[in-house]
Every structure is written in C-alpha cells, then in structure tokens.
C-alpha cells in the first residue's frame, strides 16, 4: 500500500536528485572543458574518464540488491552522495595533476571518475526505488517531473555559480569550488533523506536475503524485466545520440552561429520541460481512472520523437530552412520530455514486482541498461558521422544518417512499449507475478 505524499516529501526527493546532478554536471562538463581548453589536452582523455563513469554504473544491479537486503534506501542515498562528492574533489585534483604530472593525474582521474560513477549509481538507484515505494501511482508523474525539473535547475545554478567563482581561474580555485559544491550536495542529501523512509521495516521481504547472483538470475529470468530493459536501452540509445549531434548539425547544415546553436539547444530544453509538465498533468488527472496512461504517453512521446528526428534527417535535402529547425527542436523536446517522464514513472510502477523485496535490483538492472545506452550513444553517433562523412565526402549526410537511426530506435521503443509497459500503478504487481509464473512453468 503506497502512501500519498505531500509536496514536501516530493520536494525532498527532488532535492536529493538535484544534489546528485550538481556534482555530476560539474565533473562531466566543467572539468571536461578545463582539460581540453585550459590544459590543451586531447579530447580523448576526458572522454575516457567519462567512459569509466558510465562503465562503473553497470554495477547498479549490485547497489540495488544491497539496498534490498536491509530494505532501507536512505543509507545508500547518503553514502552514494558522499562518495560522489569525494570523487568530484579527487577528479578536480587529478585535473590539476595532469598539467605537470600526467601519469599520476591519469591514474587519480580514472579512480575519481570510477568513484563518481559508483556514487551516482548507488544514490540514483536507491533514490528511484525509494520514490517508487513512498509515492502513490497517481503522483509518480508529478514526482518524476519535480525531480528532473529541479535537477535541470540544479545544473543551471551549479554551472552559473561555479563559473563566477572560478573567475579568475586557477587549479586551486577549481578544487575549492568542487569541494564546496560536494559539501553542499552532501548536506542537502543528508537533510532531505532524514527520516524520509520512516521506521525501519520489522521484517525483510523473502527475496531480500537471496544471494546477489541468484537474485539477479531470478530477476533476469522474468520476461517483463528483460523486455523493459531492452525498451530502456533502445530508447536511451536514441536519446543520448541526438543530444551530442544537434548543435553541430545546425552549424553545418544551416550555417547557424555558435550563439544560434546554443539557442537551438535552449528551444529543445524548453520543449523537454513542457513535455514533462504536460505528461505530469495528464498523469495526475487521468492516472487514477486510466491505469494505462503512462504507457500511452510513453508511446506518444516516442512516436513524436521519431517523427521529429526523421524530419531532421530529411531536412537538408527537403529544403528546410534554418528558421524551421528551431520549432522542430522544440517539438522534439516535447516528445523527449513526455517519453522520459513516462518511462521513469513506468519504471517506478513496475519495480515492486509483487512485493518480493527485489525492487532495488530491478531498478538497478534498468539503470544499468540506461547507463550502457548513454555510454554508447554519443560514441556511436560520433563514429557513425565520421564513417558516413568519409564514405560520402559530406559531413551533413553523416548527421542525417544518425538522426534516421535514432528515429528508428524510437519507433522500435514505441513498439516495445506496448508489451514492456504492460500495466502501471498497483496493478503492475499482478503483471510480474504472472511473468514469474510463466517463467517458472517454462523452466519446468
């Protein structure tokens, strides 16, 4: 039985998400820029470290299972943010070392980004699992919207404040600012998580005491879990790929200036925000009466994204003008925002699995699929652009092929959503029971 939280509870959950995002954005964007611009290091170096960050997050199932064992999520959230903050400071220190001591700086940087990945994985998995346990089905859309809206706001606030504090730039100042952000993030997560779960459960669920490998085999044996993992992977591969090629495409295909391509991203991000809000409103108004609302909005968001990405792919050859691409990017953002919130809401609804004590493990499996997709998305998109450009002699054709591939992935995700998101809300319990029963009969 899920309790219906007030907005204060949702705000506390969102504050934790903001704390996680504040440290991550500082280490994956600001440190990236410092390595490439201020230190004139090869761009491959920060890419390698970010790849380590995503690779470590493949351990999310282990973190989720760990939080299942004690049936407490708050210690994993607070501990994860603490590790994330320490990793952030270490990454800043490693950036300073790279200038004069490359090898020690590289070793420390890899270790720091591994810690960042582990901290984000532990805290993020436990946070989503906790949200699923304390938020009622009808409130999951608004809760997810509040969490990710505050996370985006945290990105903007962190980078804006950090940019002012880092001027004039020095390595010592970089470490100090990163440490300040890490300390504030930890304190915010600690205060927000304080007594958020209530009293500890008197008895653990049956599945919580199962060894990790056995529990993972049981969860992966569920047809519903596998289908949803494939759904998450396909959709997030398309999502992450378009994110890194939209601005270069605008510059090459339509001659947009740097300021104009930045405005293009702003249009897209504005659309994402609108899509999230509209989906949250739809979920709040219709979720109680129509349990399949999240599935419908997920399919609608995926289809809209596929249509817009197809239009981007065909744009240069179809005579699309530079002015047309701005509203198209906004509509694409609406589709992405609607899809993202729907997928997260469905993920929270389906994690419980009949109260078997493996909600964290399922959330970890899906989080690992998302991390793998994000780690591969930008890399594969860049490789595809270069290969197609090499074969055709036209860089714009490479971007068009990438957009077409991403449209295909979202179309596939829309088809998968019909089966992957079988039921939402409280009725997801019976779906997983049926899935486990079917799996057991097949094995017998």
């Amino acid at each position: 039985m899920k309790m219906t939280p007030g907005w204060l509870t949702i705000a506390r959950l969102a504050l934790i998400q903001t704390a996680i995002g504040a440290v991550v954005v500082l280490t994956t964007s600001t440190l990236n820029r410092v390595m490439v611009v201020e230190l004139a290091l090869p761009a491959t170096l920060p890419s390698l470290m970010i790849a380590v960050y995503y690779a470590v997050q493949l351990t999310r199932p282990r973190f989720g299972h760990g939080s299942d064992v004690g049936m407490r999520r708050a210690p994993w959230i607070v501990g994860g943010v603490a590790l994330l903050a320490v990793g952030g400071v270490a990454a800043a220190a490693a950036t300073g070392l790279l200038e004069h001591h490359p090898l020690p700086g590289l070793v420390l940087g890899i270790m720091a980004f591994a810690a960042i990945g582990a901290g984000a994985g532990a805290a993020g998995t436990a946070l989503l699992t906790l949200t699923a346990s304390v938020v009622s089905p009808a409130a999951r859309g608004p809760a997810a919207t509040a969490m990710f809206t505050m996370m985006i706001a945290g990105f903007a606030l962190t980078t804006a404040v950090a940019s002012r504090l880092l001027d004039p730039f020095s390595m010592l100042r970089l470490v100090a600012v990163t440490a300040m952000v890490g300390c504030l993030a930890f304190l915010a997560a600690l205060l927000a998580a304080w007594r958020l779960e209530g009293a500890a459960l008197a008895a653990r669920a049956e599945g919580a005491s199962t060894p990790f490998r056995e529990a993972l085999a049981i969860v992966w044996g569920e047809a519903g879990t596998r289908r949803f993992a494939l759904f998450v992977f396909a959709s997030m591969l398309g999502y992450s790929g378009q994110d890194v090629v939209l601005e270069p495409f605008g510059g090459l295909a339509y001659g947009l200036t740097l300021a104009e391509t930045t405005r293009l991203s702003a249009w897209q991000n504005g659309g994402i925000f609108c899509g999230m809000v509209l989906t949250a409103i739809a979920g709040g108004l219709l979720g109680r009466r129509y349990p399949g609302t999240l599935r419908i909005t997920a399919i609608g968001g995926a289809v809209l994204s596929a249509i817009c990405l197809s239009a981007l792919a065909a744009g240069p050859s179809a005579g699309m003008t530079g002015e047309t691409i701005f509203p198209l990017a906004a509509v694409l953002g609406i589709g992405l925002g609607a899809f993202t919130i729907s997928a997260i809401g469905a993920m929270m609804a389906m994690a419980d699995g009949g109260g078997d004590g493996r909600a964290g493990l399922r959330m970890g499996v899906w989080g690992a699929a998302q991390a793998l997709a994000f780690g591969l998305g930008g890399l594969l998109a860049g490789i595809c652009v270069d290969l197609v450009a090499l074969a055709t002699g036209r860089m714009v054709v490479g971007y068009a092929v990438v957009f077409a591939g991403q449209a295909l992935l979202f179309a596939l995700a829309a088809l998968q959503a019909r089966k992957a998101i079988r039921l939402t809300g409280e009725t997801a319990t019976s779906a997983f029971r049926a899935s486990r029963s079917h799996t057991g009969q097949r094995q017998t």
Side-chain angles (χ1 to χ4, degrees), residues 256-273:
L256 301 181
T257 65
L258 178 61
E260 288 173 330
T261 56
T262 302
R263 185 161 61 93
L264 182 65
S265 287
W267 277 65
Q268 184 189 26
N269 290 328
I272 290 174
F273 176 76

Side-chain angles (χ1 to χ4, degrees), residues 43-433:
T44 305
L45 189 60
S47 298
L48 171 65
M49 294 185 181
I50 292 175
V52 171
Y53 162 79
Y54 281 117
V56 171
Q57 290 201 56
L58 296 179
T59 58
R60 276 177 176 257
R62 187 65 184 86
F63 295 133
H65 178 72
S67 69
D68 286 338
V69 170
M71 296 303 292
R72 296 299 301 271
R73 317 296 176 185
W76 287 85
I77 293 172
V78 175
V81 175
L83 180 60
L84 181 61
V86 171
V89 177
T95 304
L97 277 177
L98 284 170
E99 186 174 12
H100 301 293
H101 305 283
L103 185 58
L106 178 62
V107 173
L108 180 59
I110 291 174
M111 294 173 60
F113 273 83
I116 294 168
T125 302
L127 176 61
L128 282 177
T129 310
L130 176 61
T131 305
S133 67
V134 302
V135 174
S136 62
R140 282 177 183 140
T145 300
M147 290 172 67
F148 280 82
T149 300
M150 284 187 66
M151 182 182 71
I152 294 170
F155 286 172
L157 180 62
T158 301
T159 51
V161 173
S163 65
R164 291 181 176 274
L165 295 177
L166 287 172
D167 188 22
F169 176 79
S170 70
M171 287 299 174
L172 183 60
R173 189 181 289 266
L174 176 66
V175 175
V177 170
T178 307
M180 180 193 71
V181 171
C183 288
L184 290 176
F186 173 73
L187 290 175
L190 181 64
L191 292 174
W194 181 258
R195 294 186 177 180
L196 190 58
E197 290 181 280
L201 297 180
R204 295 183 301 177
E206 179 184 350
S209 59
T210 308
F212 171 66
R213 291 191 177 184
E214 182 181 343
L216 181 60
I218 293 171
V219 166
W220 189 248
E222 299 167 347
T225 298
R226 290 197 308 274
R227 278 197 298 263
F228 199 80
L230 182 60
F231 163 74
V232 169
F233 179 78
S235 58
M236 291 300 106
L237 191 63
Y239 190 114
S240 60
Q242 62 80 32
D243 196 38
V244 298
V245 297
L246 182 61
E247 286 198 43
F249 171 75
L252 285 173
Y254 300 104
L256 301 181
T257 65
L258 178 61
E260 288 173 330
T261 56
T262 302
R263 185 161 61 93
L264 182 65
S265 287
W267 277 65
Q268 184 189 26
N269 290 328
I272 290 174
F273 176 76
C274 291
M276 289 181 173
V277 172
L278 290 173
T279 304
I281 293 173
L285 294 177
L286 304 176
R288 292 181 183 274
R289 188 171 181 179
Y290 302 104
T293 300
L294 283 177
R295 180 171 57 187
I296 294 171
T297 53
I299 293 173
V303 169
L304 183 59
S305 299
I307 292 172
C308 292
L309 287 166
S310 299
L312 284 171
S317 59
M320 183 185 298
T321 64
E323 290 301 319
T324 308
I325 195 175
F326 288 95
L328 181 59
V331 177
L332 172 61
I334 291 173
L336 294 173
F339 176 82
T340 301
I341 291 301
S342 302
I344 293 170
M347 189 183 296
M348 290 190 290
M350 299 175 68
D352 182 58
D356 61 356
R358 298 190 182 100
L361 179 54
R362 287 190 188 88
M363 198 71 76
V365 167
W366 298 330
Q370 178 181 347
L372 181 61
F374 267 87
L376 290 174
L379 176 63
L380 292 178
I383 292 174
C384 182
V385 168
D386 290 338
L387 289 178
V388 175
L390 184 64
T392 63
R394 296 182 60 197
M395 188 73 75
V396 172
V397 176
Y399 284 108
V401 170
V402 169
F403 284 129
Q406 291 159 356
L408 183 61
L409 286 170
F410 271 109
L412 176 62
L415 292 175
Q416 289 175 326
R418 297 179 62 187
K419 291 185 177 180
I421 308 177
R422 296 292 296 177
L423 295 168
T424 56
E426 299 292 307
T427 53
T429 297
S430 59
F432 270 94
R433 284 174 176 165

Side-chain angles (χ1 to χ4, degrees), residues 4-14 139 141-143 145-146 280:
T4 302
W7 280 107
L8 178 59
T9 300
I10 293 177
R12 290 169 66 184
L13 293 166
T145 300

